[in-house]
Amino acid sequence: TCSVDRLLILWKLTTQCRAYRFEGHAEALTSVDFSPDGQVLASASHDHTVRLWIPCIHGESSVLKGHTASVRSVSFSHDGCSVVSASNDKLIKVWSVSYQRLLFTLFQHTGWVRCAKFSPDGRLIASCSEDKSVIIWDTRNKICVNSFSDYEGFATFVDFNPSGTCIASAGSNNTVKLWDIRTNKLLQHFKVHRAGVNCISFHPSGNYLITASTDGTLKILDLLGERLIYTLHGHKGPVLCVAFSKGGEKFASGGMDTQVLLWKTNFDTLDYEDVLKHNFRRTHIDDPPHILDIYPRSPHLHDENLNSVEVS
């Protein structure tokens, strides 16, 4: 976990719960991410730097310098070889983990970049900015291959679903949107929060999405049934972040109340077989080609009336 107290804390979630406190950043931390193999931690801070840590008792770190403003987000690629960072300097930077150096910079956003994430196969990066756009980048050609605009607010967080076919964005306008990046369609549009959504996390199955909001709640969305199934109260004040564990049996949330809450999922209480049977046709279709196999294509408009699902 990371906090505005400038500390990175590594928690051991066994019965003998122990925590290691890492110090090094000069200002508030904004984001933290484990490498897929758990051997490295990356953190981002308002001090304009990204740090790579070896998560052991000594807490050694190396500093990646290159941004000229607060770094808002840091995230590993799924092979653990690269880290992507997003910053208030309107840039996205990709770093080599083993060589600890800058690989390349992506620039097209005209506002503060809030979040950037790799796709599961590493071919794409999704980013969102206060310029009200979500951009999909090709990591090989370093170009923008797609962009989605949201005229009602800006996306605060963005991530790929586990299969890499969709992106979900959390909005400052209280909404969560799911886009199919192969067809450019808005698939689902959830209006379930009463304040801005700060973070989202996909269940490893891809069938559930959990959201964290300034309204003080966490909500779990059933993406197959296109409905809200749980609202969770526990934090006193805005919930800033949420993440599922690797296997999806737990999730953790962090809030403005300085609390980190660890939750156990209970999706097994739903008759999941029935859900799958009901949605069999939609979950067993041939995958359309990958976005990079079919572009370039004609421009598309996002302000036309697309089919969306609204959940109240």
Side-chain angles (χ1 to χ4, degrees):
T1 61
C2 66
S3 165
V4 293
D5 63 11
R6 306 180 189 179
L7 298 176
L8 186 69
I9 296 184
L10 184 62
W11 308 84
K12 199 166 186 177
L13 303 177
T14 55
T15 44
Q16 293 285 28
C17 194
R18 300 175 68 190
Y20 299 106
R21 205 167 71 171
F22 298 167
E23 297 181 21
H25 282 291
E27 290 186 43
L29 275 76
T30 54
S31 176
V32 65
D33 194 30
F34 260 113
S35 62
D37 62 6
Q39 299 299 305
V40 187
L41 269 169
S43 60
S45 167
H46 285 314
D47 66 10
H48 305 183
T49 67
V50 171
R51 279 181 182 257
L52 299 177
W53 308 78
I54 307 299
C56 65
I57 196 164
H58 306 297
E60 299 155 358
S61 71
S62 51
V63 187
L64 304 178
K65 293 181 178 176
H67 286 292
T68 57
S70 298
V71 187
R72 302 295 289 264
S73 148
V74 67
S75 185
F76 277 93
S77 59
H78 287 250
D79 60 8
C81 296
S82 306
V83 160
V84 61
S85 58
S87 168
N88 285 1
D89 62 11
K90 306 174 187 174
L91 302 176
I92 296 149
K93 291 182 182 288
V94 176
W95 313 81
S96 163
V97 175
S98 52
Y99 296 109
Q100 297 176 13
R101 64 179 179 86
L102 180 67
L103 294 176
F104 56 89
T105 301
L106 301 172
F107 44 89
Q108 185 167 316
H109 283 297
T110 56
W112 292 358
V113 189
R114 297 290 294 256
C115 182
K117 298 275 186 179
F118 279 102
S119 63
D121 62 7
R123 295 169 76 182
L124 303 172
I125 287 173
S127 64
C128 63
S129 163
E130 293 190 11
D131 63 12
K132 299 188 176 182
S133 70
V134 174
I135 292 181
I136 309 292
W137 310 83
D138 176 355
T139 56
R140 285 180 294 191
N141 300 329
K142 285 78 171 174
I143 57 168
C144 162
V145 292
N146 215 337
S147 68
F148 303 93
S149 296
D150 191 335
Y151 298 109
E152 302 158 33
F154 60 86
T156 57
F157 194 92
V158 67
D159 203 3
F160 287 88
N161 69 342
S163 66
T165 56
C166 301
I167 56 165
S169 65
S172 64
N173 60 334
N174 317 351
T175 66
V176 174
K177 293 184 177 182
L178 267 80
W179 310 84
D180 187 321
I181 60 172
R182 303 157 301 180
T183 60
N184 303 325
K185 288 267 172 63
L186 177 63
L187 294 178
Q188 295 180 7
H189 182 189
F190 291 96
K191 292 183 178 178
V192 291
H193 283 288
R194 289 178 300 188
V197 186
N198 300 313
C199 189
I200 50 179
S201 179
F202 277 100
H203 187 265
S205 67
N207 298 327
Y208 302 100
L209 186 72
I210 191 163
T211 62
S213 169
T214 300
D215 65 14
T217 67
L218 296 150
K219 291 182 187 279
I220 298 176
L221 307 172
D222 174 7
L223 300 181
L224 290 177
E226 299 178 338
R227 65 199 176 103
L228 169 67
I229 51 175
Y230 297 117
T231 297
L232 306 173
H233 302 267
H235 288 283
K236 297 176 177 67
V239 192
L240 302 178
C241 55
V242 65
F244 272 110
S245 61
K246 208 170 186 179
E249 63 285 334
K250 294 188 180 80
F251 57 93
S253 60
M256 206 88 112
D257 54 6
T258 73
Q259 303 293 313
V260 177
L261 303 181
L262 190 63
W263 308 74
K264 188 179 183 301
T265 58
N266 58 347
F267 299 142
D268 48 350
T269 59
L270 292 174
D271 196 344
Y272 193 58
E273 289 303 311
D274 282 358
V275 175
L276 281 181
K277 220 175 288 174
H278 177 67
N279 293 283
F280 184 81
R281 220 165 30 83
R282 290 164 53 187
T283 54
H284 294 72
I285 53 170
D286 292 333
D287 279 344
H290 193 280
I291 181 176
L292 294 182
D293 302 329
I294 52 180
Y295 86 89
R297 44 137 70 78
S298 58
H300 51 274
L301 298 172
H302 287 296
D303 50 358
E304 58 189 318
N305 290 327
L306 296 171
N307 292 333
S308 69
V309 176
E310 192 168 311
V311 181
S312 59

